[in-house]
Amino acid sequence: MFDEMAKSPAAWLSSAGKESLVVLSTRVRLARNIAGCNFPESADIETKKRVISYVDSVVTRSKNMSDGIYIKATDIDELDKDFLVERHLISPVFLNGELDKALFISEDEQASIMVNEEDHLRIQALEAGLNPRGAFEIAMQYENEISKYLEYNYDPDFGYLTSCPTNAGTGMRTSVLIHLPGLVLTREIDKIISHITHSGLIVRGFYGEGSDVLGNLFQISNQTTLGITEDEILKQIERVTNEIIEKETSARKRLIEETSEIIEDKIWRAYGILKNARVLTSEEVMNLLSAVRLGHATKMLDFLDVSLINDILLLSQPAHLQKYYGSEMDNNRRDFVRAQMVRDKLRDQ
Amino acid sequence: MLCQDCKKREPQVHFTQIINNEKTALSLCKECAAARGFHSPLDNMPFPLADILSGLTANLPMQKQIAQEESISCDGCGLTFEDFTRQGRFGCGECYKAFRNRLEMIMRKIHGSSIHRGKTPLFENSSEETTETFSIKEEERLKEELQKAISSEDFERAAELRDKLKSLQESLTVEN
C-alpha cells in the first residue's frame, strides 16, 4: 500500500504556503462522535464494528469521498503505519493495540479521517504554510458531508461531546508546525513558550503530544475548545503565530548581525555534512536541515528551494526511506542509504 | 542502561557533544540532566487536566459530599463520577448529562467557560427542522435556561448563557 504516495512529496510540505520561511504547515482537527454509541475507549467490539460499518456506508454513498483511500486498520502493515505517522496522516497512537479502526485519506492527501481513535471520528486537514482558515474549510467539508448521513453526539451546552473533556465544544484543534532556530539560538525560546502558554495555546515537539523538540520544530495549538467559536480559534492561532514569526524573524536578523561568522559557519558546515556524509541518522538530518533551512531563509543558501528541504525532511524518516527504496532495511543500512538519498537530492545544487 | 550520573534511574535525556573531534555522549535521567543545566524547552508545559480532576475531590469540604458525588453513575455506560475523575475520559455522550452539575465547574477550569458557542449540527436531512427554525428554537431554549440560572443565582452560567444568546441573536439578524 501507499507505494505511489511515498514517491511524491506531501501536499502539506509544498513551498507554496504562506509564511513558508518560518511555518511548515497548518492542521485543523475536528473530533466527532456518533450519537447512540459508546466512545471507542469504552465501547465493545460490536459497537466499534458498527461505527466502522456506518462510516463504510458514508464513504460508499458520498460523492466527495469515493475518490479517496478507505482502508481497515487490519489491512495496514507495520511499515505503512509508521509511514502514515511520519506523513502526519494518523496520530502515533491510532494504530496501537486493537485494530477495530479504519482510515480515510482524501485523494489529494490534504484530509484524513481516523475512525475509532479516541473519538469515533477524527477529521483532519493539512495545508502548507500558515493557513488555518484553509485547513478548517477542508475539514468542515468532510464534517458536513458525514453529517448528512450520521447524527453527531451533540449537547446544546457542551457542544460536540468528546471522550476527553479537553476537546468538548467545538472539538477543534488547530496546530501550526513552526521552525524557530533563531529563538532557540538566542535563548529567547523559553520566554516565548511561556508567552504562548499564557495566551491559552499549547506548545509541543514535532510529532505532537508528548514528543520532544527535534530540528527546532515546534507545534503550537489551541488549548480551549469550549466557550469559543471556531472563528475565534482560527483568529487566535493566526494572531499568536504572526507574533512569533515576527519575533523569530528579528532573532534571525540579530544573529546574523551580531555573530555572522559563527552562524555562517554553522550553516555551511551543516550543508557540507549533508552533501558529503556517508552515514546519517534521521535525527542528525533533522538537526542539520534546521541549519540549512535557516540558511535558505536568510539567503545564505539562496540556491536551495524550500520544497527540496521539505522533501529531504520527509524522506529521511525511517519508514519513508524504506518505502522510497522499496525494501525493508535495518538501522545501519538505513543510515547508509539515508546519506546516499540526501547526497542524491543535493547533487545538482 | 541506567543514568550515567546517579546510576539509579532510567535515562531520558541523550546528549552528544563534539569538541575538537572528540565525541562525548551522555545519557541522563531528567533530574540529573536538569542538575547539569540541560533541559528541553517543553519541560515546564503544564498538564492541567490531571491537576484539575485530581484536585476536584480534594477540594470538597465534606467527606459526606464526596461519597454522595461519587455514587453518581452514567445510565448510558455505567461509568461512575469517580472513574471519570481517575481516567479523565467519558464513556459515552450520556456521561455529560449524568455529571452535568459537576461538569460546569470542570469545564470552566479547563476552558474558562462551560457553554458551547461554536457551530451547531446541520439538519439537512430533516425536512421539518431547517437551520432557521432550529435557531429560533435554540433562542427560546436559551432564554428559558437563562431565567433558570438567574433564579437559582448561578450568575456565572447566566453570564455565559447571555453571551451565547447575544451571539445567536446577532447571527439571526445577519441572516435575515
Side-chain angles (χ1 to χ4, degrees):
Chain A
M1 274 302 280
F2 309 117
D3 290 345
E4 279 311 302
M5 203 187 272
K7 301 224 156 35
S8 55
W12 58 272
L13 278 179
S14 86
S15 64
K18 279 178 229 159
E19 304 290 352
S20 67
L21 295 184
V22 183
V23 179
L24 274 76
S25 62
T26 308
R27 164 169 42 187
V28 167
R29 178 272 278 159
L30 301 168
R32 295 289 185 267
N33 285 287
I34 293 161
C37 299
N38 279 13
F39 298 150
E41 284 174 22
S42 77
D44 53 19
I45 292 177
E46 280 69 43
T47 308
K48 283 191 265 192
K49 285 198 173 135
R50 200 163 72 233
V51 169
I52 290 184
S53 78
Y54 288 154
V55 180
D56 288 351
S57 50
V58 174
V59 174
T60 330
R61 284 191 226 162
S62 158
K63 251 189 253 156
N64 294 7
M65 293 173 76
S66 56
D67 291 338
I69 298 171
Y70 182 60
I71 185 171
K72 301 287 145 65
T74 37
D75 296 330
I76 308 177
D77 68 28
E78 288 302 314
L79 184 60
D80 282 336
K81 285 181 199 172
D82 293 339
F83 171 77
L84 294 169
V85 173
E86 289 174 2
R87 234 170 156 79
H88 289 200
L89 290 168
I90 62 173
S91 62
V93 295
F94 178 55
L95 296 173
N96 284 351
E98 23 168 353
L99 293 170
D100 304 301
K101 296 171 181 177
L103 172 70
F104 170 83
I105 302 172
S106 70
E107 198 191 11
D108 59 11
E109 234 192 281
Q110 282 197 289
S112 66
I113 301 170
M114 290 180 269
V115 186
N116 285 338
E117 209 237 26
E118 190 182 291
D119 296 297
H120 294 139
L121 301 171
R122 287 282 176 105
I123 305 164
Q124 69 150 26
L126 292 158
E127 277 276 12
L130 177 62
N131 191 0
R133 211 158 287 273
F136 174 67
E137 273 159 23
I138 296 172
M140 273 316 287
Q141 266 173 28
Y142 288 93
E143 202 264 7
N144 282 333
E145 183 70 16
I146 295 169
S147 76
K148 290 180 193 163
Y149 304 93
L150 299 174
E151 190 194 341
Y152 294 134
N153 220 326
Y154 177 84
D155 177 278
D157 270 359
F158 297 127
Y160 292 96
L161 304 181
T162 53
S163 166
C164 185
T166 54
N167 294 316
T170 54
M172 171 170 158
R173 191 87 59 207
T174 304
S175 332
V176 169
L177 184 60
I178 190 164
H179 183 228
L180 303 176
L183 294 171
V184 171
L185 285 170
T186 55
R187 296 175 195 271
E188 287 168 66
I189 191 72
D190 291 353
K191 214 172 65 197
I192 300 290
I193 286 179
S194 130
H195 166 74
I196 300 170
T197 46
H198 281 110
S199 327
L201 301 178
I202 316 173
V203 189
R204 298 197 181 100
F206 184 44
Y207 283 111
E209 208 143 348
S211 63
D212 225 331
V213 189
L214 260 183
N216 300 319
L217 292 172
F218 295 82
Q219 195 170 288
I220 298 165
S221 42
N222 63 299
Q223 185 164 25
T224 303
T225 57
L226 178 71
I228 184 170
T229 66
E230 286 81 359
D231 194 56
E232 286 163 353
I233 295 174
L234 296 172
K235 281 187 180 138
Q236 180 192 33
I237 283 279
E238 208 146 1
R239 178 176 54 77
V240 177
T241 308
N242 278 318
E243 276 171 37
I244 300 166
I245 293 171
E246 204 175 293
K247 295 217 163 75
E248 169 65 22
T249 312
S250 84
R252 288 177 185 184
K253 211 173 142 212
R254 236 172 319 125
L255 272 176
I256 289 166
E257 280 164 9
E258 289 163 19
T259 57
S260 67
E261 287 97 348
I262 300 170
I263 292 300
E264 213 173 316
D265 182 63
K266 196 176 155 72
I267 288 166
W268 280 102
R269 261 172 203 274
Y271 182 64
I273 295 172
L274 287 174
K275 212 171 153 76
N276 294 293
R278 261 51 184 173
V279 175
L280 285 169
T281 65
S282 55
E283 264 180 50
E284 192 176 2
V285 173
M286 289 268 283
N287 289 324
L288 293 169
L289 276 182
S290 173
V292 167
R293 193 183 290 277
L294 179 64
H296 161 78
T298 53
K299 308 239 161 36
M300 252 174 249
L301 305 176
D302 57 355
F303 51 89
L304 288 178
D305 189 59
V306 176
S307 62
L308 178 71
I309 298 173
N310 289 341
D311 203 20
I312 297 174
L313 177 74
L314 198 64
L315 284 178
S316 56
Q317 299 179 94
H320 268 80
L321 196 68
Q322 295 174 71
K323 299 284 290 183
Y324 188 71
Y325 285 99
S327 67
E328 294 206 18
M329 300 174 241
D330 66 15
N331 250 329
N332 293 336
R333 178 79 194 143
R334 280 209 300 268
D335 292 348
F336 177 77
V337 170
R338 181 177 296 112
Q340 198 177 359
M341 178 275 294
V342 176
R343 288 203 309 279
D344 283 349
K345 290 274 173 194
L346 293 175
R347 177 169 299 136
D348 302 325
Q349 302 301 318
Chain B
M1 196 172 85
L2 293 172
C3 164
Q4 282 167 263
D5 275 9
C6 67
K7 303 195 170 55
K8 279 181 207 150
R9 289 176 286 257
E10 286 283 308
Q12 282 177 300
V13 180
H14 303 277
F15 182 80
T16 313
Q17 173 171 270
I18 303 167
I19 300 169
N20 295 332
N21 285 331
E22 207 158 309
K23 188 169 164 182
T24 18
L26 278 174
S27 294
L28 305 171
C29 68
K30 278 221 160 123
E31 289 81 354
C32 295
R36 279 181 181 249
F38 307 141
H39 77 290
S40 156
L42 300 183
D43 278 352
N44 298 322
M45 286 299 293
F47 182 65
L49 180 62
D51 296 346
I52 290 167
L53 294 178
S54 66
L56 197 73
T57 35
N59 288 337
L60 288 173
M62 286 183 297
Q63 284 298 329
K64 204 173 143 194
Q65 198 176 349
I66 298 172
Q68 218 172 28
E69 296 295 351
E70 279 171 358
S71 66
I72 298 175
S73 63
C74 168
D75 291 341
C77 65
L79 187 84
T80 65
F81 186 72
E82 192 194 14
D83 288 339
F84 164 67
T85 56
R86 205 172 30 234
Q87 69 193 41
R89 297 283 188 280
F90 296 107
C92 68
E94 292 300 304
C95 294
Y96 281 83
K97 290 197 185 90
F99 309 145
R100 184 176 299 272
N101 293 337
R102 304 305 317 273
L103 272 184
E104 282 178 18
M105 184 178 84
I106 295 174
M107 290 305 190
R108 273 185 208 127
K109 285 197 175 170
I110 298 173
H111 299 285
S113 167
S114 68
I115 292 187
H116 178 57
R117 286 177 47 233
K119 289 194 179 300
T120 48
L122 295 172
F123 293 91
E124 296 194 7
N125 264 1
S126 149
S127 50
E128 303 144 44
E129 197 154 31
T130 62
T131 317
E132 199 182 330
T133 57
F134 173 78
S135 302
I136 292 164
K137 272 191 192 171
E138 176 68 1
E139 191 183 0
E140 285 309 308
R141 191 192 70 85
L142 284 170
K143 282 180 185 165
E144 278 171 32
E145 290 287 310
L146 181 60
Q147 277 315 316
K148 267 192 246 169
I150 292 169
S151 52
S152 64
E153 299 190 359
D154 186 350
F155 297 118
E156 225 167 334
R157 181 173 163 82
E160 288 173 359
L161 284 163
R162 194 194 48 222
D163 287 350
K164 183 171 175 169
L165 189 61
K166 204 174 142 202
S167 53
L168 181 76
Q169 283 164 339
E170 273 164 15
S171 75
L172 279 171
T173 344
V174 173
E175 275 162 30
N176 299 333

